[in-house]
């Protein structure tokens, strides 16, 4: 019975993957509408992209909550933007005069698609930065999990295949490359604490911060979720809530 069930599950998996591949080829545009009415268009050229935008990787509720905290005149950072699952919805909510979106993504294939998707959706000014963010500046290596847009598991690691430039947020702000943020989302595969350290005093400008926590990956950087939450508490965030998602989870920190 167990072998039969495994076979059925495997068949369903490959059937669903084939579905995404076929639709990505013959219907490259996908409109996604959230329960709150926000919508965004995504271009896709692979099954992994189609899966990512149609499922939103199980983060639909989190995206809606993120949008609930955004005001039209905000400066919003999406750090680890991938192909724009958060950024494209944010870009439709910000004011064309005062709002500004900063989308940061180190993977070259994702950056190209991210820019394309934002051009198709944005009603505000936006910046796309092809950097890794962290606590130090210089060259780092990114583990390459594939060259198709939509891959979301790349991580900074000395054995990585892709060389990318790493920057600190406070340096980018002091160099006037980007304005200081009001709202921030972080999803960086274990480097969350390092990114926060790189904010320096700029963290004082942040009103709301969403951060996806990868406990096991954080260990690769010598960090842990408890110390990260302590950093937020010390920085003046008075409310820290969790949104559970399997072995990973999001925290919402507000002042």
């Amino acid at each position: 019975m167990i072998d039969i069930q495994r076979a059925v599950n495997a068949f369903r998996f490959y059937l669903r993957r084939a579905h995404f591949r076929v639709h990505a080829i013959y219907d490259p545009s996908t409109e996604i509408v959230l329960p709150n009415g926000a919508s965004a268009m995504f271009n896709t050229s692979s099954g992994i992209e189609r899966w990512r935008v149609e499922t939103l990787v199980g983060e639909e509720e989190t995206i809606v909550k993120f949008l609930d905290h955004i005001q039209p005149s905000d400066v919003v950072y999406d750090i680890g933007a991938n192909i724009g699952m958060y950024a494209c919805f944010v870009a439709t909510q910000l004011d064309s005069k005062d709002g500004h979106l900063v989308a940061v993504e180190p993977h070259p294939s994702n950056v190209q698609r991210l820019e394309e998707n934002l051009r198709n959706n944005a009603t505000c000014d936006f910046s796309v930065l092809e950097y890794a963010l962290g606590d130090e500046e210089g060259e780092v290596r990114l583990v390459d999990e594939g060259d198709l847009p939509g891959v979301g598991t790349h991580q900074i690691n000395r054995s990585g295949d892709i060389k990318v430039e790493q920057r600190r947020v406070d340096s980018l702000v002091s160099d006037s490359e980007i304005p200081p943020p009001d709202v921030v989302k972080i999803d960086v595969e274990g480097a969350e604490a390092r990114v926060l350290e790189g904010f320096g005093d700029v963290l004082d400008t942040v009103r709301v911060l969403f951060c996806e926590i990868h406990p096991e990956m954080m260990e690769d950087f010598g960090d842990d979720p408890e110390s990260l939450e302590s950093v937020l508490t010390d920085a003046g965030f008075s409310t820290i809530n969790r949104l559970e998602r399997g072995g990973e989870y999001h925290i919402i920190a507000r002042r």
Side-chain angles (χ1 to χ4, degrees):
M1 180 64 71
I2 294 176
D3 289 340
I4 293 175
Q5 187 60 52
R6 285 176 178 172
V8 170
N9 291 340
F11 175 76
R12 287 175 176 170
F13 170 80
Y14 287 111
L15 186 64
R16 187 166 180 78
R17 188 169 69 174
H19 163 82
F20 286 127
R21 284 179 173 174
V22 169
H23 280 269
I25 295 172
Y26 294 105
D27 184 16
S29 294
T30 304
E31 181 180 20
I32 303 298
V33 181
L34 298 177
N36 65 353
S39 65
M41 293 293 299
F42 297 89
N43 287 346
T44 57
S45 61
S46 68
I48 184 66
E49 278 187 280
R50 188 79 181 200
W51 169 81
R52 181 168 286 277
V53 299
E54 287 198 355
T55 66
L56 296 175
V57 202
E59 296 184 28
E60 180 181 89
E61 177 187 359
T62 307
I63 295 172
V64 170
K65 288 183 180 294
F66 188 63
L67 297 179
D68 286 344
H69 287 87
I70 293 172
Q71 299 173 9
S73 59
D74 279 339
V75 174
V76 180
Y77 287 7
D78 183 352
I79 300 172
N82 200 275
I83 60 172
M85 285 78 62
Y86 282 74
C88 287
F89 291 108
V90 171
T92 68
Q93 306 295 301
L94 296 177
D95 183 78
S96 60
K97 180 181 178 181
D98 301 315
H100 189 93
L101 169 69
V102 177
V104 187
E105 170 58 40
H107 195 284
S109 296
N110 286 344
V111 167
Q112 183 177 355
R113 182 71 79 216
L114 173 63
E115 291 179 330
E116 180 181 332
N117 285 334
L118 283 174
R119 285 195 300 269
N120 291 337
N121 289 283
T123 59
C124 63
D125 288 335
F126 66 87
S127 306
V128 175
L129 305 183
E130 192 173 345
Y131 297 137
L133 296 184
D135 58 335
E136 297 179 349
E137 304 223 321
E139 184 181 271
V140 295
R141 290 181 175 271
L142 197 68
V143 174
D144 189 7
E145 297 291 344
D147 59 359
L148 291 175
V151 172
T153 55
H154 44 269
Q155 183 188 37
I156 294 173
N157 191 292
R158 291 179 182 177
S159 63
D161 306 304
I162 303 175
K163 295 179 181 179
V164 297
E165 183 179 0
Q166 180 171 275
R167 298 292 307 273
R168 287 177 58 98
V169 167
D170 55 8
S171 293
L172 290 168
V173 172
S174 64
D175 291 345
S176 300
E177 287 196 43
I178 52 177
D182 301 295
V183 182
V184 174
K185 166 256 177 182
I186 300 173
D187 180 3
V188 289
E189 305 299 309
E192 297 86 59
R194 304 303 174 93
V195 171
L196 280 179
E197 186 174 340
F199 270 74
D201 292 339
V202 175
L203 192 58
D204 295 338
T205 72
V206 179
R207 185 179 74 247
V208 181
L209 183 142
F210 276 54
C211 185
E212 183 165 359
I213 304 298
H214 305 80
E216 292 186 3
M217 289 184 176
M218 289 185 76
E219 293 179 3
D220 296 338
F221 294 87
D223 299 318
D224 58 76
E226 291 74 19
S227 60
L228 183 145
E229 292 190 19
S230 294
V231 169
L232 294 174
T233 301
D234 293 343
F237 290 92
S238 56
T239 303
I240 300 177
N241 297 326
R242 288 192 182 194
L243 292 176
E244 299 294 339
R245 179 174 170 254
E248 302 165 352
Y249 60 93
H250 288 84
I251 60 172
I252 307 172
R254 301 189 298 274
R255 296 188 187 277

